[in-house]
Amino acid sequence: MTGQTGQIIRSHGRRFIVESEGQVYDCTTRGKRVDFACGDWVDILVQNKEQAVIERSQERRSLLYRQDDWKTKVIAANVTRILFVIAAVPSPNEELLGRCLIAAEAGDIDPVIVVNKADLPETASLLLKLDLYRRLGYQVVTLSAKQDVAPLLPLLQGQTSVFVGQSGMGKSTLTNALLPDANARIGDISTALDSGRHTTTHATLYHLNADSHLIDSPGLQEFGLKHLKAAELTRYFPEMRPLIGQCRFHNCSHRVEPNCAIMTACESGAIVKSRLSLLQRLTDELSPSKP
């Protein structure tokens, strides 16, 4: 048995596929540890030509994950860019987008909003809604995965990127267009449920070239942020960051307190009301419940 370093390119619950020195190994872990993620660099102990054991993980550059009251779900490790894929059909979930952008800000990962299915007539109204995020400094790219993915190529170069978003938005179609050999499963949209079928069941890392890598992740319907602290939320809203420390009270809830800088900015139009509402909902969600 020999020790090597490799990268997890696919995760299957308690089993992981690791790429190391030109070989691919089906790996188990020591004990019951399963908190490894697609994209993790790990030390492995090779047992034979096909199998190995993960001994430990190396230090991560970043970790994208979500957490609710019951569990933590690791999405991807060592990514430098999040590509949030959204489309006008099925109905997009703007709350999910807002939460994902906050997770990106908290994880120091560069977010890009990718509007897919540009050929749909409903896309025009979606772009109007997304203009808010463009004004906040987020990059918004519009394309059609089935026609031309060229607008994405410069954004992927030199990055380890991860596709996230609702099911049915076209993440796997984008992956297939970028990597024809990827054979990512593509599902039909269920119009009855107005949501995409979950086609990707595990995160998979693909190599675009020697310097650029792409992780396709399972579709999300919600994005828990229980791993964040309520008191630190404003630093993850670009339009609110400059106002940190300007409220009259240091523990301001940004609801009813006098001389609240954030509410004043909202009243003047500098902060959009829906963004303040998201801050307030998340503050309630992350604050310890009173007995």
Side-chain angles (χ1 to χ4, degrees):
M1 294 190 291
T2 58
Q4 296 177 191
T5 297
Q7 187 175 30
I8 296 176
I9 60 171
R10 193 174 302 145
S11 56
H12 296 270
R14 294 182 178 276
R15 288 175 47 243
F16 302 88
I17 306 301
V18 174
E19 187 178 62
S20 176
E21 299 181 9
Q23 295 287 115
V24 175
Y25 299 95
D26 187 345
C27 296
T28 54
T29 62
R30 295 289 184 196
K32 296 182 179 180
R33 185 177 175 187
V34 293
D35 59 337
F36 300 104
C38 187
D40 263 330
W41 287 93
V42 293
D43 297 328
I44 62 174
L45 191 61
V46 177
Q47 298 179 310
N48 53 50
K49 291 182 179 180
E50 297 179 350
Q51 296 174 308
V53 176
I54 296 177
E55 298 279 271
R56 67 191 66 84
S57 60
Q58 298 190 359
E59 186 176 354
R60 291 163 168 157
R61 180 241 176 252
S62 65
L63 180 65
L64 178 64
Y65 66 104
R66 54 195 177 99
Q67 182 177 333
D68 56 27
D69 286 323
W70 300 278
K71 64 180 180 180
T72 298
K73 181 66 176 177
V74 176
I75 299 173
N78 296 311
V79 295
T80 57
R81 177 160 285 168
I82 294 175
L83 301 169
F84 187 92
V85 183
I86 191 170
V89 178
S91 297
N93 183 342
E94 194 171 347
E95 172 93 5
L96 187 68
L97 170 60
R99 287 168 172 265
C100 186
L101 291 175
I102 288 169
E105 297 274 359
D108 192 25
I109 306 170
D110 182 41
V112 175
I113 301 171
V114 179
V115 182
N116 191 21
K117 309 181 187 181
D119 51 312
L120 295 178
E122 297 92 340
T123 299
S125 61
L126 174 61
L127 288 173
L128 286 176
K129 290 182 180 179
L130 295 178
D131 190 55
L132 160 65
Y133 301 96
R134 200 192 303 269
R135 296 197 307 270
L136 292 175
Y138 294 112
Q139 192 163 0
V140 179
V141 179
T142 305
L143 51 77
S144 174
K146 293 183 177 179
Q147 295 177 7
D148 184 15
V149 294
L152 268 188
L153 299 179
L155 298 171
L156 297 170
Q157 182 58 39
Q159 306 284 339
T160 296
S161 306
V162 58
F163 280 146
V164 297
Q166 290 167 252
S167 297
M169 294 300 176
K171 299 186 302 298
S172 294
T173 306
L174 281 167
T175 300
N176 286 341
L178 292 163
L179 292 154
D181 297 330
N183 294 321
R185 292 179 58 209
I186 302 174
D188 296 325
I189 294 172
S190 170
T191 53
L193 296 175
D194 193 29
S195 65
R197 294 180 185 148
H198 292 271
T199 53
T200 301
T201 56
H202 51 260
T204 302
L205 184 146
Y206 303 97
H207 303 296
L208 295 167
N209 55 46
D211 302 314
S212 312
H213 315 281
L214 176 65
I215 296 175
D216 186 21
S217 67
L220 304 173
Q221 300 306 322
E222 54 189 26
F223 205 116
L225 295 170
K226 282 287 189 177
H227 54 292
L228 303 182
K229 296 179 180 178
E232 297 178 354
L233 281 173
T234 48
R235 70 175 63 178
Y236 308 133
F237 287 75
E239 69 273 45
M240 299 181 192
R241 271 197 294 263
L243 301 175
I244 292 175
Q246 294 187 27
C247 295
R248 178 176 176 181
F249 300 104
H250 75 278
N251 59 346
C252 185
S253 69
H254 316 300
R255 291 182 187 273
V256 295
E257 295 87 348
N259 303 118
C260 169
I262 288 176
M263 283 196 297
T264 300
C266 186
E267 289 164 4
S268 71
I271 291 177
V272 176
K273 188 175 180 180
S274 63
R275 295 280 287 174
L276 175 58
S277 296
L278 176 59
L279 172 69
Q280 292 169 342
R281 285 197 302 278
L282 289 175
T283 300
D284 289 344
E285 188 178 305
L286 303 181
S287 298
S289 40
K290 296 178 181 179

